[in-house]
Amino acid sequence: MLDRVLVIFIITGGLGLLWLAWQYYKVRTIKTVQPVEVITDKPNLLYFKGEYCLACEFQQTPIIEAISAKLGDSIIVKKYDVSTHPELASRYKVLTLPTTIIVNELGQITHVNYGVARQEKLETQLFSR
């Protein structure tokens, strides 16, 4: 019985360390990426997708369209297909699809979301300081 508890503790600790390492990597990545274009005036939502990505098509794209319709001219939404913009995806360090990147009014990357991001989360990120 004690052996099982010890194994569970070791596995849980290892997973916790992996999660912390991933969070550290994401923060470091955000700090090293410089936006390609000068983006000012409004928050920007950069959406990286692929035509072969089902999660992009059926989950993330409807969320992006809903945000765009809801917030209108208060934000700028840019959609990029990684097949046609591989250099841009590489520059922004896109690791998975879909990826959404929030760039604030000052042109600084504030958030990177790997995988499907909920609408509420993206809206909060767009207007957080």
Side-chain angles (χ1 to χ4, degrees):
M1 179 67 172
L2 186 58
D3 294 343
R4 289 182 184 173
V5 171
L6 184 59
V7 169
I8 290 172
F9 180 72
I10 291 171
I11 290 172
T12 304
L15 290 174
L17 287 174
L18 283 173
W19 182 81
L20 286 173
W22 175 248
Q23 296 304 314
Y24 174 75
Y25 174 77
K26 284 181 13 180
V27 168
R28 235 178 94 216
T29 300
I30 290 172
K31 289 181 181 179
T32 61
V33 175
Q34 296 298 319
V36 172
E37 14 185 275
V38 176
I39 303 172
T40 59
D41 192 345
K42 302 176 186 177
N44 285 248
L45 172 58
L46 309 180
Y47 172 41
F48 290 89
K49 60 183 183 151
E51 62 184 53
Y52 52 85
C53 173
L54 294 177
C56 300
E57 184 178 346
F58 294 110
Q59 291 179 301
Q60 194 68 67
T61 298
I63 292 170
I64 299 297
E65 289 172 357
I67 289 172
S68 183
K70 179 179 179 181
L71 300 177
D73 291 336
S74 63
I75 65 166
I76 297 171
V77 176
K78 296 183 180 180
K79 300 176 185 176
Y80 299 104
D81 189 315
V82 295
S83 301
T84 56
H85 296 93
E87 69 290 336
L88 196 59
S90 176
R91 170 122 185 188
Y92 280 105
K93 298 189 176 20
V94 174
L95 303 175
T96 62
L97 294 179
T99 294
T100 51
I101 299 173
I102 307 297
V103 181
N104 68 12
E105 302 85 5
L106 303 174
Q108 303 164 333
I109 295 174
T110 57
H111 298 89
V112 176
N113 302 296
Y114 296 110
V116 176
R118 295 181 342 272
Q119 182 173 346
E120 299 80 21
K121 180 179 183 178
L122 290 172
E123 289 175 4
T124 301
Q125 290 175 347
L126 280 163
F127 295 106
S128 67
R129 300 277 173 216

